[in-house]
Structure formats: structure tokens, C-alpha cells
Amino acid sequence: MTTTDITEPVTTDLAAKASRHLWGHFARHGENISPPIITRGEGTTIWDDKGRSYIDGLSGLFVVQVGHGRAELAEAAAKQAEQLAFFPLWSYATPPAIELAERLANYAPGDLNRVFFTTGGGEAVESAWKLAKQYFKLVGKPGKHKVVSRAVAYHGTPQGALAITGVPAFKAPFEPLTPGGFRAPNTNFYRAPANYQHDEKAFGQYCADRIAEAIEFEGPDTVAAVFLEPVQNAGGCFPPPPGYFERVREICDRYDVLLVSDEVICAYGRIGSMFACDDFNYVPDIITCAKGLTSGYSPIGAMIASDRLFEPFNDGKTAFAHGYTFGGHPVSAAVALANLDIFEREGLNARVKENAPAFRATLERLYDLPIVGDVRGEGYFYGIELVKDKATKETFNDEESERLLRGFLTPALFEAGLYCRADDRGDPVVQLAPPLISGQAEFDAIYEILHSVLGEASRRI
């Protein structure tokens, strides 16, 4: 009998079907492991197949900016699908893609006026590196192909994006990777060297200068780009110190290296502005984005590039030989336009800027727990670092972290009614990124659950 001859019993049990057929992303599988099944969402709340409700403290995956259950976004998708369900952007264009490209260009800073659509964030990062390589070949600098990014930073799973990623455990199973990715320190002020622990601005200068050092070490004629998130996600929300991006911009200009602002998480109001580079006062050469562009109601991503980078391709014969079948999908583009309408009509960016101090203040009340070492982040994007000893900042070893995060915190927080992320890609953290419609009521509910569960974790330690 061949494998195609095997028939499976039909079942209506979703858990059994998931266990037999569904291969989860970044998920563990095996006996007695069954993923929670989420069936419905409304506003800031999600429900599972047992009817239990949870606060969505992570916006799905830093995605659902305008909240769950927005009928107008579903209606925008249906209306577009009836008119034109699909057509590629391979030498053709569709009205929704054109309108969305213009709108994003108008939001973007400086001369970032050229929008290349993808279906997600990793593809946008991949596209940016490929663009950097081809651009420098076209302008007579063919040796410039390398990329500098930061330690512990996550930039996606495609082979090129993975080479830019700074999380060794994610890279090891797929080596050898695309060559050319190199690392500089991140901006984790909580773990800054002793001589910088009382001067955040000096620490930012130190971190930025390590990027210059990496470029010099590799050779400026070989380095094409620096990829940085405005607030680094992996490791637990590292904001940039004052003056950091100003210094990085100077370094990139000095060495003719492109500055890529990877805003797959940080764009579309997560920090406060449409693009977080505006929140931190720098103009990159490329922005990569996805997630919040449609609030997750349909998949789309984008690479937004400067006019300068587009110029060598604007000669009537040179093509950027790169693309995705579903990049700029007309239905997704229509949903994105409707999503951005909500942003503007409800003033979501201003709402985040107004409420962000209250969110920070609410989370900082967790400092009364001995396990909470640091509360850091910006806007509606925070990480809470967990420690064994608050005075010494001693962290947990791998075995302890496994028991704490996966053995206790992840199930305990979910059972208590909060969906968030317990993450150990760096030191152990709990990450929070609620929908942008959240206010003090949601902040307080998140705090109460965290305080209870982290308090129990402290007692167990």
C-alpha cells in the first residue's frame, strides 16, 4: 500500500483533527500537546472552542490593530472579491494596489515614494536585501552585498531574512544560510555594560558606534545595508536610546550603506505614528512593513523605498527581477485601505500616543514583584523581563527558563484569561501588544492577571 492509499477516519473533533493534520508554526508537537483552538474575536477579546474568553494582549501576533470583528473590513474584502478577486502585479496594476501605494507613500517620511508589495513581513525583508544588492550593482558598487543587524533581533524566516536574524537557535537547523549577515549589539539598556548603566544616551552612542565598527571590519565596500527595528522585538522590546538613530543615520551616510527600518511590528500605530521611524525622528532608505497594515484581516506586506533607490530601475529596460504571486493582492489591498480609513476616522495613532503613558504606568506597578526585573517598551508594545534576583539582575538558566515559561507561565496566563507571549529568545520576558483600541479598562485587566500569575511564579521560585 502506498501512502496515498491510506484513508483517515473522519471526525468532527477539532482537537483530534489538529493533532493528526495541522503542523503549527514554531510549535511543539507530540503526545498530550493540543493547541488551544480560537474560534471568535470581538474587540479586544477572543474566545476558544469551549466558549472561554481571553483578553488578546498580543493583538494576535502584533497584528490586530483595530480589534477583532470589524464588519467593514470583511465587507471591503467581499466587495473587492466580487469585482476583481485576483490579478498579479507582474507588469500589470490594479486600482486597490495603486491607491494603497499612493497612500503609504504619503504616510512615509522623506522621499520614500516607491511601494513594492509582498504577502508578509519576512518577504518584505527579503525584498529589501535583494533590492540593496541589485541597486549597488547598478550604480557601480557590485561588492556591496553584506548586511549588519543586531544581536537577538528577529527579521523573518526566508533564507535571506533568516541570515539577517540574530537568534542562533532559529538559524542552526537551516544552515548554511545566505552568506553576508553580520551582527552588532542591540540596545538592551537593562543589560548595558557597567560603565554605561547610568547614561542611556552614552549607551546609545556606544551601540551605534559598534555598527560603524562592524562596517569598518567587514569593509565599507562590501556592506550594503543595516537592518534595524525601531523597537527591537526579540529579547523583549528594546527601545532606542536618545540619539541612537541619529547616530546610525550619520554612520550609514558616511559609508554609503542603506538604513532599513524593519517595521513589520512597529508600523501602523504600534508605537504611535503610522511609521515608527517618525516616532524616533529618523528617515530610513527603506521601510519594511506588514502585520498591522490590514489589522490581520487579509495578508499583505510592503517594502517602501526611496526615489533614489528606484532611479536606476526607471530607465525603461532594467527590472527588479523579484516578485510574489499574491503580492499586493487586490482583496488585501482593499482591506488595507479600509483599515487605514478606520485609523484616520477613529484617530488611533493619537489614541496610542495619548494612552501610552498610562499603559506604561500600569505595567510598572508590577515592579513590586520580586520576579520583575525590567518593564520596557514604547507605545502599545512592552516587554517585562523576569529575573531570579532583582538586585543582581541574575537571570534563569535554560532549564529554569523552560520550566518557568513553558511549564508554568504560558498555560497559567492563558488559563487566567490573558493571551500574550512568554518568550526566551533572549532573557525570559513576557511580551504585550494589545489592540490599539485598548484603554485603561484593558490595561487594568491585563495588570491584574499578570500580577496574580507572576506573583505565583515568584512564590514558586
Side-chain angles (χ1 to χ4, degrees):
M1 178 182 290
T2 67
T3 55
T4 54
D5 294 326
I6 298 174
T7 58
E8 296 289 343
V10 176
T11 176
T12 58
D13 184 344
L14 284 175
K17 290 180 179 181
S19 178
R20 180 64 187 92
H21 297 291
L22 186 63
W23 198 331
H25 298 204
F26 288 97
R28 297 182 179 189
H29 295 272
E31 190 175 358
N32 299 321
I33 298 178
S34 181
I37 300 170
I38 306 303
T39 60
R40 186 166 67 92
E42 185 69 33
T44 62
T45 304
I46 55 174
W47 283 263
D48 68 12
D49 60 333
K50 307 292 194 304
R52 293 174 297 196
S53 65
Y54 309 85
I55 300 168
D56 183 356
L58 203 65
S59 299
L61 193 62
F62 316 104
V63 170
V64 190
Q65 316 293 64
V66 302
H68 297 274
R70 292 277 192 155
E72 65 190 276
L73 297 185
E75 290 164 2
K79 182 178 179 181
Q80 179 59 44
E82 289 177 356
Q83 183 170 348
L84 178 67
F86 173 75
F87 210 79
L89 298 183
W90 297 49
S91 299
Y92 294 85
T94 64
I98 295 168
E99 295 294 338
L100 183 58
E102 181 189 40
R103 197 155 176 181
L104 295 184
N106 288 337
Y107 290 141
D111 70 338
L112 276 75
N113 292 312
R114 292 292 178 167
V115 182
F116 183 94
F117 287 114
T118 68
T119 60
E123 290 177 355
V125 170
E126 193 88 356
S127 301
W129 193 3
K130 290 180 74 173
L131 172 60
K133 289 180 177 181
Q134 187 174 358
Y135 167 78
F136 280 117
K137 286 178 172 60
L138 291 174
V139 298
K141 297 183 178 182
K144 293 175 80 69
H145 68 282
K146 298 175 184 175
V147 163
V148 177
S149 58
R150 295 185 291 204
V152 196
Y154 175 82
H155 292 281
T157 55
Q159 287 284 57
L162 193 57
I164 300 171
T165 290
V167 185
F170 285 4
K171 297 149 72 81
F174 309 106
E175 291 175 335
L177 303 177
T178 304
F182 298 90
R183 236 57 64 212
N186 59 48
T187 59
N188 183 358
F189 186 57
Y190 185 65
R191 299 288 179 183
N195 53 325
Y196 292 107
Q197 288 181 359
H198 302 289
D199 190 338
E200 194 172 6
K201 187 171 183 179
F203 174 62
Q205 177 89 9
Y206 162 82
C207 292
D209 286 346
R210 301 291 74 74
I211 292 174
E213 190 175 80
I215 294 171
E216 285 282 2
F217 184 82
E218 292 302 322
D221 59 342
T222 72
V223 179
V226 172
F227 278 70
L228 304 175
E229 296 168 278
V231 178
Q232 182 173 317
N233 171 36
C237 301
F238 304 141
Y244 173 79
F245 274 109
E246 181 181 6
R247 176 68 179 136
V248 171
R249 181 71 268 181
E250 292 173 354
I251 290 166
C252 289
D253 289 343
R254 181 200 309 166
Y255 294 111
D256 193 19
V257 169
L258 305 182
L259 174 55
V260 181
S261 191
D262 184 357
E263 305 202 14
V264 172
I265 287 176
C266 292
Y268 308 113
R270 181 55 54 191
I271 308 303
S273 298
M274 277 299 184
F275 295 111
C277 54
D278 283 334
D279 291 306
F280 300 115
N281 197 33
Y282 67 97
V283 178
D285 300 290
I286 300 173
I287 294 172
T288 56
C289 57
K291 293 188 183 290
L293 179 50
T294 63
S295 287
Y297 284 70
S298 190
I300 198 169
M303 173 188 71
I304 309 172
S306 69
D307 287 333
R308 175 172 73 99
L309 299 185
F310 182 78
E311 186 59 33
F313 298 90
N314 199 27
D315 63 357
K317 58 183 179 181
T318 303
F320 181 36
H322 176 63
Y324 300 98
T325 298
F326 296 116
H329 193 288
V331 172
S332 294
V335 172
L337 288 166
N339 181 58
L340 295 173
D341 286 344
I342 293 174
F343 266 79
E344 295 182 0
R345 185 175 68 246
E346 299 184 6
L348 291 184
N349 292 324
R351 178 187 180 89
V352 170
K353 292 177 181 179
E354 180 181 351
N355 290 336
F359 189 36
R360 178 190 294 272
T362 304
L363 294 178
E364 285 180 343
R365 290 159 54 196
L366 295 167
Y367 273 128
D368 69 346
L369 297 172
I371 197 174
V372 174
D374 194 27
V375 176
R376 56 179 177 259
E378 295 287 344
Y380 275 26
F381 184 30
Y382 270 82
I384 301 163
E385 183 167 337
L386 310 178
V387 293
K388 287 175 68 174
D389 188 312
K390 187 176 292 193
T392 65
K393 301 183 183 179
E394 180 186 0
T395 190
F396 298 90
N397 62 37
D398 290 346
E399 182 180 342
E400 292 167 335
S401 181
E402 172 76 15
R403 290 202 307 269
L404 172 67
L405 296 186
R406 294 178 183 83
F408 176 68
L409 280 181
T410 296
L413 287 167
F414 196 68
E415 184 65 26
L418 175 62
Y419 164 68
C420 58
R421 172 190 265 179
D423 190 18
D424 62 352
R425 285 175 291 181
D427 296 313
V429 296
V430 173
Q431 285 187 298
L432 297 159
L436 308 189
I437 60 172
S438 302
Q440 192 60 53
E442 287 77 21
F443 303 158
D444 288 340
I446 289 169
Y447 164 80
E448 292 296 339
I449 293 172
L450 285 172
H451 195 274
S452 174
V453 174
L454 292 178
E456 176 60 25
S458 297
R459 289 187 288 274
R460 289 177 176 232
I461 292 169

